[in-house]
Amino acid sequence: MNKKRLVVIGGGAAGFFCAINAAAFNHALEIIIIEKTTKLLSKVKVSGGGRCNVTHSCFSIAEMIKNYPRGENFVKKAFHQFFTTDTINWFGKRSVQLKTEVDGRMFPVTNSSQTVIDCLMKEVNNRSIQILMNREVKKLSMVNDQWSIEFANEEKIIADFVCVASGGFAKTIQFNWLKELGHTIEEPIPSLFTFNIPADPIKELMGISVEKAIVKITGTKFSQQGPMLITHWGLSGPAVLKLSAFAARELHKVNYDFKIAVNWLPGYNEQTLREKFSLLRNELAPQKIVNRNPFFLPQRLWEYFLQQSTIDQNIRWADLPAKQQNILIKILCAQEFDVKGKTTFKEEFVTAGGIKLNEIDVNTMQSKMVPNLFFAGEVMDVDGITGGFNFQHAWTSGWVAGKAIGEMT
Ligand SMILES: Cc1cc2nc3c(=O)[nH]c(=O)nc-3n(C[C@H](O)[C@H](O)[C@H](O)COP(=O)(O)OP(=O)(O)OC[C@H]3O[C@@H](n4cnc5c(N)ncnc54)[C@H](O)[C@@H]3O)c2cc1C
């Protein structure tokens, strides 16, 4: 009997994981990975600043899924099959030990993404998985119950199963070869970016960060709390990146021209801060307001707030005029900024959008539209925030697809 053949399109994290695990579940499968470039696992290589943030130290599915602005319910079901503990064990069994950093990100103990690449390459070689590079798949079609896979150079190969693990594409047109199979594409748009604030002097404070702030997009329900960093262009840091991811579609619609309100003192609202100011005026009465910053904000930021509130720096707390006090309270609790444009975060971007999830069976990653067609990784309409969530989705979906294909034959 002829061997069944699986062709995996894409030599990235999801494609490798699908191929390796399909081989592990079925030794009789012939497996070929097709990669359009001359490099394999190129994003794994550069990820996490060259250290590869493999996954996140989170062991509750309910908590984990909160980090996926799109695909939350889809990954929830998939994580029941392959979760963070499985990733840690999978790599651990192959001598790739992971360590956890204070913010929960997990990296190889070697601090090198090459360790992950070496492990995946070793698995591929040991399992005799073939790799064809420099081949861009242009067309997929069914011919006599088999897949015909056509490359840009017009070469063709035949397969019984295909797993598309081609990553995200920036433009809808790049999905056309998948659309032709009957799939619907959620328009790809950028996620994970920082906010440009060209008209505000706050940029002069670049490099200053606060441990906790709340950033809210005015007129929407989108709000995030966390560390925030002032940059040369505007605002960045985990609170801003997370907000950019969760509001990616809405911000795209308004062409990245919107207003935000920042609460620099998340423990307070206008009412409670007003009460605090009444106490401070007594407690700190003889002290100069500029020298006595009671909220432990960076001193330069405090001086900027005083300047923005037109407060004379030599004034004492006791003499703070009511009008200026009100402006300062408003700035501390809800400073408004006009955002005009975005900046990519350290080239670390993911695309929101891709194959519509209701067209994929989450238990197998198989297409509901076409038999023997599977998906893995970022090509689907799933994306996570930074922290190892995108790779976890790549491992999970690759494993689920690989297992399903392995068990089908
Ligand atoms: C700079 C950077 C840093 C990142 N850091 C992290 C991190 O630390 N942690 C984290 O969780 N996530 C990180 N991410 C996101 C993460 O890298 C991706 O989510 C993940 O790589 C997606 O894996 P994938 O296999 O689905 O797609 P990809 O890694 O994009 O792989 C897809 C492959 O398919 C190939 N391909 C595409 N079309 C075709 C075709 N038609 N024919 C043949 N081959 C094709 C591509 O060339 C590519 O090699 C980072 C992303 C970037 C850009």
Side-chain angles (χ1 to χ4, degrees):
M1 203 178 75
N2 281 344
K3 272 187 163 187
K4 296 271 187 190
R5 181 188 278 173
L6 161 66
V7 164
V8 176
I9 303 172
F16 266 67
F17 225 61
C18 171
I20 294 166
N21 288 297
F25 278 99
N26 188 334
H27 302 296
L29 259 182
E30 182 193 352
I31 304 174
I32 307 175
I33 298 175
I34 310 285
E35 168 55 46
K36 79 171 170 191
T37 67
T38 52
K39 288 191 184 128
L40 297 167
L41 299 165
S42 56
K43 280 197 192 164
V44 172
K45 179 79 183 164
V46 297
S47 66
R51 294 196 299 147
C52 185
N53 179 193
V54 176
T55 186
H56 201 90
S57 169
C58 175
F59 306 103
S60 147
I61 292 179
E63 278 305 309
M64 185 79 175
I65 61 170
K66 291 182 187 162
N67 298 290
Y68 294 86
R70 282 147 294 269
E72 183 180 351
N73 286 326
F74 188 86
V75 293
K76 180 180 176 183
K77 291 180 190 143
F79 284 158
H80 282 287
Q81 288 203 62
F82 194 91
F83 194 37
T84 47
T85 34
D86 302 300
T87 304
I88 297 163
N89 291 338
W90 196 94
F91 281 104
K93 271 189 201 149
R94 289 155 182 87
S95 305
V96 178
Q97 305 302 331
L98 303 181
K99 59 166 179 176
T100 309
E101 306 226 316
V102 279
D103 57 5
R105 291 180 302 159
M106 296 192 78
F107 295 90
V109 289
T110 57
N111 271 330
S112 168
S113 57
Q114 194 59 43
T115 312
V116 176
I117 295 176
D118 291 345
C119 164
L120 295 171
M121 286 308 299
K122 190 173 165 196
E123 283 289 315
V124 157
N125 292 333
N126 286 348
R127 296 182 185 282
S128 305
I129 294 168
Q130 296 173 59
I131 295 177
L132 294 180
M133 298 218 273
N134 233 338
R135 309 275 202 306
E136 181 176 4
V137 174
K138 278 285 183 201
K139 193 173 171 63
L140 284 176
S141 51
M142 267 285 177
V143 178
N144 300 331
D145 285 342
Q146 278 199 309
W147 283 109
S148 165
I149 300 135
E150 208 175 313
F151 304 134
N153 64 5
E154 291 180 7
E155 211 183 315
K156 282 182 193 170
I157 58 169
I158 295 292
D160 300 283
F161 306 99
V162 167
C163 179
V164 179
S166 54
F169 296 119
K171 295 188 181 130
T172 309
I173 193 170
Q174 293 171 286
F175 285 92
N176 273 358
W177 57 289
L178 297 168
K179 244 171 130 177
E180 280 168 12
L181 299 169
H183 276 284
T184 319
I185 310 300
E186 286 289 352
E187 188 200 358
I189 52 155
S191 182
L192 296 176
F193 46 85
T194 67
F195 297 166
N196 295 355
I197 303 179
D200 196 284
I202 194 158
K203 291 177 305 183
E204 284 155 29
L205 305 181
M206 65 185 159
I208 287 182
S209 59
V210 291
E211 256 172 52
K212 219 193 255 178
I214 299 173
V215 195
K216 187 177 180 339
I217 297 174
T218 312
T220 74
K221 62 180 193 319
F222 295 105
S223 164
Q224 288 292 336
Q225 176 170 320
M228 201 162 70
L229 172 70
I230 301 165
T231 70
H232 189 52
W233 297 273
L235 295 174
S236 178
V240 170
L241 289 169
K242 228 171 147 176
L243 191 57
S244 79
F246 278 92
R249 283 223 174 267
E250 287 70 12
L251 299 183
H252 179 74
K253 267 186 213 148
V254 297
N255 201 21
Y256 307 101
D257 187 343
F258 56 99
K259 286 188 194 307
I260 55 170
V262 175
N263 181 343
W264 297 94
L265 300 174
Y268 294 97
N269 57 34
E270 265 189 61
Q271 176 58 32
T272 54
L273 195 54
R274 210 169 291 285
E275 287 157 19
K276 178 74 179 171
F277 264 71
S278 303
L279 295 174
L280 289 170
R281 292 174 75 104
N282 286 327
E283 277 172 21
L284 309 176
Q287 302 190 37
K288 273 191 185 174
I289 195 160
V290 69
N291 296 335
R292 197 59 177 84
N293 150 18
F295 302 106
F296 306 104
L297 289 163
Q299 180 62 17
R300 280 177 61 212
L301 188 60
W302 179 242
E303 287 168 19
Y304 157 82
F305 290 145
L306 298 182
Q307 214 175 41
Q308 292 291 300
S309 318
T310 61
I311 293 172
D312 175 355
Q313 298 216 343
N314 291 316
I315 218 161
R316 296 176 315 137
W317 269 95
D319 305 327
L320 180 60
K323 189 176 163 206
Q324 267 72 29
Q325 174 175 303
N326 285 342
I327 301 173
L328 180 57
I329 288 173
K330 179 86 183 149
I331 286 180
L332 289 169
C333 282
Q335 186 176 16
E336 289 193 345
F337 294 100
D338 283 322
V339 180
K340 299 219 179 289
K342 61 173 173 51
T343 300
T344 305
F345 173 66
K346 292 188 195 164
E347 300 310 314
E348 183 175 329
F349 50 87
V350 289
T351 41
I355 304 281
K356 238 185 161 153
L357 299 178
N358 63 4
E359 298 174 355
I360 302 170
D361 177 355
V362 68
N363 298 312
T364 57
M365 301 294 154
Q366 185 167 197
S367 161
K368 290 183 185 171
M369 325 294 283
V370 201
N372 298 340
L373 176 67
F374 295 78
F375 295 100
E378 214 180 298
V379 68
M380 298 188 257
D381 184 24
V382 171
D383 62 275
I385 58 171
T386 52
F389 304 104
N390 287 301
F391 276 134
Q392 184 57 51
H393 165 62
W395 312 131
T396 295
S397 53
W399 187 89
V400 170
K403 174 173 182 277
I405 297 163
E407 288 179 346
M408 273 176 85
T409 46

